[in-house]
Amino acid sequence: MNVDSAIDWDEIFEYLPGTVVELKNNPGVLHQIDYYETTMVPPIWLVNDPRPRYPHELQIVSRRDIQVCDIGSQVVAF
């Protein structure tokens, strides 16, 4: 892994899928982050929005429903 890469890991973990955001130019209308695409500029895709967004366009409203990983449904056999 190249630690000198241009990937902003802090930003990726700040804008996780499921995060509820609003557009700064349209406050009060909530959107959910669909995914963060590191190879795209802008990198943030919202659910049901055909246009990707930059972080500076978004205001994070809630991270409460974010599920980073689902370890409860994984079965490990030894």
Side-chain angles (χ1 to χ4, degrees), residues 27-56:
V29 179
L30 301 180
H31 300 273
Q32 191 174 35
I33 294 178
D34 193 14
Y35 60 94
Y36 186 108
E37 177 57 56
T38 57
T39 61
M40 292 287 296
V41 176
I44 301 168
W45 291 83
L46 304 176
V47 175
N48 297 324
D49 189 351
R51 184 176 146 219
R53 306 293 178 158
Y54 289 103
H56 70 266

Side-chain angles (χ1 to χ4, degrees), residues 1 10 30 32 34 49 51 56 58 60 62 64-65:
M1 178 178 187
D10 290 333
L30 301 180
Q32 191 174 35
D34 193 14
D49 189 351
R51 184 176 146 219
H56 70 266
L58 305 172
I60 295 175
S62 174
R64 191 177 70 179
D65 294 331

